[in-house]
Amino acid sequence: MNIIAANGAGIPAIGLGTWQLRGRTCARIVEQALRLGYRHIDTAQMYDNEREVGEGLRASGVKRDEVFITTKVWTTHFRPNDLERSAKESLARLRLTEIDLLLLHWPNPQVPLAETMGALAHAKQLGLARHIGVSNFTVALIEQAVAACPEPLACDQVEYHPYLDQAKVKAACARHGMALVAYSPIAKGRIRNDRALARIGDRYRKTAAQVCLRWLVQQNVAAIPRTSKLERLSENINVFDFELSEDDMSLISAMSSASNRLTDFGFAPKWD
Ligand SMILES: NC(=O)c1ccc[n+]([C@@H]2O[C@H](COP(=O)([O-])OP(=O)(O)OC[C@H]3O[C@@H](n4cnc5c(N)ncnc54)[C@H](OP(=O)(O)O)[C@@H]3O)[C@@H](O)[C@H]2O)c1
């Protein structure tokens, strides 16, 4: 498994996304993923499944220090005391003593960013999280967050797949030594019907989803595909035994546009 270096953190290039995975399904998929070799799990306070992620981790028998667990603080907890309490509650649900990567889930302009970045850094200094970072931050917000944070930021987790151009955010992350972690990396499943990606895949004996995930990791981007299906767990991690040619990388990059965003809300920032 490739590891992505990010301001002192080593983020396994493929992780398991867990949004919408709940209850026993979630615990079982996390357990199976870890047994299959996944070493990175992405959850969030908002997903209401931290307890099950912790159960899956313990059931897998994989040692705690071999697994990289990310969770996220929801925007209603961005005042300093709330953020600390929220991180402690996540730890209690996960039954862990330390989160590997603690993220701000979305920007929240209602709370001064400097205050929240200070609180996030404090959570790290208290030992609640080994690394900290942000999610859904634009270039301008990355610049403000880096300037306001007394601790280095490991990543910006944003939507990224072949249909969405994220060159600007990627460059901003690189400038600051941060990793880009791609969410919805297979465009919420839409990639499976992509004939162009399937045709490229035929040359490597890989599926469209594998080509898509390989395109991400080959750019030194981490990806966190989600699946509720056991057979797809292996498919999605089996992307380290081939390399896309430069021509194929460019063909896939040319599919993108800035308007193909799948996740957007009224409270989202003004995207780059
Ligand atoms: N920070 C944020 O604001 C944010 C926002 C969105 C997502 N995320 C994180 O990113 C993770 C992934 O994003 P996502 O869940 O939106 O979408 P995704 O991983 O791009 O796509 C998931 C969908 O693709 C299907 N799928 C998975 N593997 C497949 C394969 N090999 N072939 C065909 N279809 C496949 C899944 O269906 P089956 O279950 O049927 O396989 C599911 O419907 C989330 O789970 C979450 O952890 C973060």
Side-chain angles (χ1 to χ4, degrees):
M1 165 80 72
N2 294 15
I3 301 286
I4 306 217
N7 276 333
I11 307 180
I14 295 285
L16 174 71
T18 66
W19 175 59
Q20 289 187 328
L21 297 177
R22 294 270 164 76
R24 281 209 41 76
T25 309
C26 178
R28 210 169 121 256
I29 283 282
V30 169
E31 174 187 350
Q32 288 299 328
L34 292 169
R35 285 180 192 270
L36 277 170
Y38 282 73
R39 289 295 178 266
H40 170 184
I41 311 286
D42 181 82
T43 179
Q45 177 186 45
M46 196 49 158
Y47 300 168
D48 194 20
N49 64 11
E50 289 173 313
R51 208 165 258 116
E52 289 77 13
V53 166
E55 275 170 32
L57 169 61
R58 287 186 295 282
S60 73
V62 176
K63 287 200 195 112
R64 165 65 188 103
D65 61 3
E66 289 178 13
V67 184
F68 191 93
I69 307 269
T70 299
T71 195
K72 316 183 192 84
V73 183
W74 191 245
T75 53
T76 44
H77 306 295
F78 281 8
R79 301 264 174 208
N81 288 344
D82 295 341
L83 193 146
E84 186 179 325
R85 190 176 57 239
S86 170
K88 285 180 176 161
E89 285 170 1
S90 285
L91 284 171
R93 283 189 292 268
L94 286 156
R95 285 177 54 193
L96 297 177
T97 54
E98 199 177 41
I99 295 155
D100 295 286
L101 179 57
L102 182 65
L103 306 181
L104 303 180
H105 205 145
W106 283 84
N108 177 3
Q110 311 296 324
V111 183
L113 186 60
E115 211 178 285
T116 307
M117 295 318 297
L120 189 64
H122 190 58
K124 180 180 173 185
Q125 289 154 359
L126 288 175
L128 304 177
R130 288 174 59 223
H131 305 284
I132 54 173
V134 294
S135 177
N136 294 300
F137 272 40
T138 58
V139 173
L141 285 166
I142 290 175
E143 297 300 339
Q144 291 169 33
V146 168
C149 194
E151 294 282 340
L153 296 176
C155 81
D156 189 9
Q157 183 184 120
V158 292
E159 178 177 339
Y160 187 32
H161 44 70
Y163 307 142
L164 182 66
D165 182 2
Q166 285 287 29
K168 290 178 187 161
V169 173
K170 210 169 109 201
C173 286
R175 257 197 318 279
H176 293 291
M178 297 161 64
L180 192 155
V181 177
Y183 77 65
S184 305
I186 45 178
K188 294 186 187 282
R190 285 165 176 75
I191 290 290
R192 94 185 106 209
N193 300 319
D194 192 298
R195 301 198 33 204
L197 289 176
R199 265 197 308 275
I200 294 174
D202 287 344
R203 295 206 275 280
Y204 302 90
R205 294 176 186 276
K206 293 286 176 181
T207 64
Q210 288 172 318
V211 167
C212 169
L213 293 168
R214 178 70 209 182
W215 173 79
L216 290 166
V217 302
Q218 219 166 294
Q219 297 171 65
N220 215 28
V221 161
I224 46 172
R226 161 183 56 107
T227 181
S228 54
K229 308 220 162 43
L230 290 178
E231 63 278 11
R232 286 181 173 162
L233 276 179
S234 7
E235 178 182 341
N236 292 347
I237 204 172
N238 197 359
V239 298
F240 298 104
D241 59 353
F242 74 115
E243 189 171 344
L244 293 167
S245 68
E246 269 181 42
D247 284 354
D248 286 335
M249 288 293 289
S250 310
L251 271 178
I252 302 166
S253 300
M255 294 176 168
S256 74
S257 95
S259 59
N260 284 330
R261 192 176 291 277
L262 303 172
T263 296
D264 210 355
F265 295 107
F267 59 77
K270 191 173 176 304
W271 302 111
D272 295 293

